[in-house]
């Protein structure tokens, strides 16, 4: 079953040479710096390489993070921080707020920013795979797993590393709790979409499908509410997507709840449930058009071209017609004025983030290697430091298209 997911752009970053001439006083120290530069460059290249798979990404990310930890972790297990933590300046842009970067002279800032991009890459890999017309069962599992991994990375950054930053996170920036929470919840909701598609394909109990759809709609609503206090200039398009998906899955929930009611000979209530499903589907259709017309960061897509969207409209129509026919011939039940209250709880299929930890310190880091960095040899002139308001070139992504031709509707 094909899916469509909104994606914000990757973070971009200024090149980092890790050239500490005079400071790195031994060949071992120089080699670690060289390895850092090469592994960082390689990881950045993979972000925009459409042939990259999760194994390649994990290997490249683990190598860089294991080396970068040498600038953060103390080798003697003391509470004292590593002397190299503030040796290098790093600059990163924001997924929502354009190409003016934030800059911090802090290796933890680099760790969480690069980690954030790795998580985003997993969501983009899942999106590309899920958008295929003939997705296999194994590919669907890859989509599901990648979204859970991404959620786990975002969660780990938020709970364990971002609090360690010396400079407070600016409001509305990627590393702020509101945005991280929205990314985590969105990943969970999208992974549950894959579960729902699988349950429908295998013709599972309509009650289970309705409950999963209801939980998923609530996830999307929660993610949207988390972003409600952000500037709509930046978050407006993203919020339209979350709203759209919430309405879409409420339509699914009422549709399958109607099937459950019909199976229990509650045909009048089933008709009312299907009518409510039609209302939410119409809302989703309107929001889809608004999404296409809203300017802002993110992918450009036409959901009307996706089978998963098209099939729901037909399913609601056909199920409602069936209920109305059977009520006219068999049940003769009154259709309630109020829609049934959905108090559905899914006992299976709910998604939790996959726990994530950064890799252990690279073996090239030894007490001797750290001691070989002589910070007294650092140049005293800081004029060469990057300017914080200087633009950083955006990454050329294969799945970020121009803003035009973004109109969409559900048919």
């Amino acid at each position: 079953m094909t899916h469509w997911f909104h994606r914000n752009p990757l973070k971009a970053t200024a090149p980092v040479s890790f050239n500490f001439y005079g400071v790195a006083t031994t060949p071992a120290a120089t080699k670690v710096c060289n390895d850092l530069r090469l592994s960082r460059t390689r990881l950045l290249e993979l972000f925009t390489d459409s042939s990259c798979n999760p194994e390649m990404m994990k290997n490249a990310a683990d190598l860089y993070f294991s080396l970068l930890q040498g600038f953060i972790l103390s080798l003697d297990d003391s509470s004292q921080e590593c002397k190299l933590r503030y040796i290098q300046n790093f600059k990163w842009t924001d997924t929502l707020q354009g190409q003016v970067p934030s800059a911090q002279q802090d290796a933890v800032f680099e760790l969480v920013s690069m980690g954030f991009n790795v998580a985003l890459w997993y969501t983009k890999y899942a999106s590309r795979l899920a958008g295929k017309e003939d997705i296999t069962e194994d590919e669907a599992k890859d989509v599901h797993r990648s979204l859970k991994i991404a959620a786990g990375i975002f969660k780990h950054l938020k709970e364990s590393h971002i609090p360690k930053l010396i400079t407070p996170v600016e409001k509305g920036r990627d590393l702020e709790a509101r945005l991280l929470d929205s990314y985590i919840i969105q990943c969970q909701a999208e992974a549950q979409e894959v579960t729902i598609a699988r349950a429908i394909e295998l013709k599972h109990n309509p009650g289970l499908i309705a409950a999963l759809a209801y939980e998923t709609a609530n996830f999307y609503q929660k993610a949207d509410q988390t972003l409600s206090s952000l500037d709509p200039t930046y978050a407006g398009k993203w919020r339209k997507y979350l709203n759209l998906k919430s309405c879409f899955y409420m339509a699914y929930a009422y549709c399958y709840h109607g099937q459950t009611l019909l199976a229990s000979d509650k045909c009048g209530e089933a008709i009312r449930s299907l009518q409510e499903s039609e209302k939410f589907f119409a809302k989703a259709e309107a929001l889809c058009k608004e999404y296409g017309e809203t300017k802002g960061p993110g992918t450009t897509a036409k959901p009307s071209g996706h089978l998963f969207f098209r099939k729901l409209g037909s399913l609601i129509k056909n199920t409602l017609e069936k209920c109305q026919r059977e009520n006219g011939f068999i049940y003769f039940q009154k259709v309630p004025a109020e829609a049934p209250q959905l108090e559905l709880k899914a006992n299976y299929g709910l998604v939790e983030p996959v726990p994530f930890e950064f890799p252990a310190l690279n073996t090239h880091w030894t007490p001797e290697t750290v001691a070989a960095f002589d910070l007294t040899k650092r140049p005293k002139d800081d004029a060469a430091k990057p300017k914080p308001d200087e633009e950083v070139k955006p990454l050329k992504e294969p799945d970020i298209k121009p803003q035009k031709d973004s109109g969409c509707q559900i048919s």
Side-chain angles (χ1 to χ4, degrees), residues 276-291:
E276 199 68 11
S277 180
E278 277 190 322
K279 285 184 186 178
F280 275 105
F281 190 77
K283 280 184 188 176
E285 190 171 24
L287 282 164
C288 201
K289 188 172 185 293
E290 290 174 24
Y291 171 85

Side-chain angles (χ1 to χ4, degrees), residues 155-380:
K155 188 171 187 284
H156 183 65
L157 295 177
K158 180 196 169 195
E159 293 176 355
S160 302
H161 295 279
I162 291 170
K164 295 176 183 174
L165 288 170
I166 300 299
T167 306
V169 176
E170 299 170 60
K171 286 189 176 180
R173 291 281 180 168
D174 286 336
L175 304 181
E176 203 214 325
R178 287 177 296 178
L179 274 85
L180 283 162
D181 284 339
S182 289
Y183 276 117
I184 293 165
I185 298 164
Q186 181 180 335
C187 287
Q188 289 175 279
E190 288 174 349
Q192 284 184 193
E193 288 194 48
V194 180
T195 305
I196 292 167
R198 180 69 175 160
I200 292 169
E201 189 180 342
L202 295 178
K203 295 182 171 55
H204 278 297
N205 186 305
L208 171 63
I209 296 169
L212 279 171
Y214 181 62
E215 301 263 19
T216 302
N218 286 337
F219 264 141
Y220 278 119
Q221 185 181 33
K222 185 178 175 184
D224 173 57
Q225 288 169 347
T226 305
L227 296 175
S228 62
S229 54
L230 289 178
D231 185 340
T233 307
Y234 304 124
K237 192 175 185 70
W238 190 6
R239 289 193 64 198
K240 290 291 182 192
Y241 165 78
L242 297 170
N243 256 310
L244 187 164
K245 283 293 185 81
S246 179
C247 288
F248 182 75
Y249 279 97
M250 282 301 288
Y252 247 116
Y254 274 109
C255 179
Y256 277 89
H257 186 56
Q259 292 184 27
T260 304
L261 291 168
L262 180 61
S264 303
D265 296 326
K266 297 177 181 177
C267 197
E269 291 179 42
I271 290 171
R272 188 63 188 87
S273 190
L274 268 297
Q275 289 171 343
E276 199 68 11
S277 180
E278 277 190 322
K279 285 184 186 178
F280 275 105
F281 190 77
K283 280 184 188 176
E285 190 171 24
L287 282 164
C288 201
K289 188 172 185 293
E290 290 174 24
Y291 171 85
E293 294 169 351
T294 303
K295 292 183 178 179
T299 46
T300 302
K302 295 180 179 178
S304 58
H306 287 264
L307 187 62
F308 201 42
F309 276 75
R310 293 202 309 266
K311 286 185 79 172
L312 178 57
S314 302
L315 179 65
I316 295 168
K317 180 175 178 289
N318 294 338
T319 309
L320 179 56
E321 287 175 355
K322 178 186 175 184
C323 290
Q324 288 169 332
R325 274 197 315 272
E326 298 206 6
N327 203 42
F329 280 110
I330 304 168
Y331 295 101
F332 305 105
Q333 293 175 359
K334 185 179 177 181
V335 177
E338 295 293 323
Q341 289 295 311
L342 294 183
E343 296 176 353
L344 307 173
K345 187 72 180 172
N347 296 317
Y348 307 98
L350 294 178
V351 169
E352 288 297 327
V354 171
F356 174 81
E357 293 285 343
F358 282 110
L361 186 67
N362 194 285
T363 53
H364 288 163
W365 283 107
T366 64
E368 292 74 26
T369 310
V370 175
F373 285 83
D374 186 352
L375 300 188
T376 63
K377 303 281 181 66
R378 291 173 70 187
K380 291 185 171 54

